[in-house]
Amino acid sequence: TIADAEGVRWTYCHGSALLARVGDEITAGDQVLESGNSGNSTGPHLHLAITAGGLDRCPQPLIESLHGHRTELGADDLPHTGCTF
């Protein structure tokens, strides 16, 4: 889990190896985890959980935005209900 300057918590799960340690400063583009199949999982993948404003947020709109090379969404803009995956 990485906590950013705004207090948003970004949790990455199911990795095979952690590449970041407690106290590390993380910047955009840093690899923090190697893909894996740990925990209750049926294949290698990334599970991304985002918590902002005390609410779990759906990462799907953010991922779609980044895929389209748009970054106007902030964690507080993400819905906390209705995630479809």
Side-chain angles (χ1 to χ4, degrees):
T1 297
I2 298 169
D4 69 20
E6 288 80 35
V8 178
R9 296 176 56 84
W10 306 81
T11 303
Y12 302 85
C13 303
H14 301 299
S16 63
L18 291 173
L19 303 178
R21 303 285 177 235
V22 172
D24 285 355
E25 185 172 321
I26 305 300
T27 59
D30 288 349
Q31 185 175 351
V32 297
L33 185 74
E34 289 187 8
S35 179
N37 186 26
S38 64
N40 187 12
S41 172
T42 59
H45 71 287
L46 168 67
H47 175 135
L48 172 62
I50 302 169
T51 305
L55 299 170
D56 291 334
R57 304 294 180 142
C58 180
Q60 186 173 7
L62 177 61
I63 300 301
E64 290 172 346
S65 175
L66 293 171
H67 178 71
H69 303 289
R70 300 179 316 272
T71 57
E72 67 272 4
L73 290 176
D76 288 326
D77 299 321
L78 301 174
H80 56 89
T81 61
C83 221
T84 59
F85 59 95

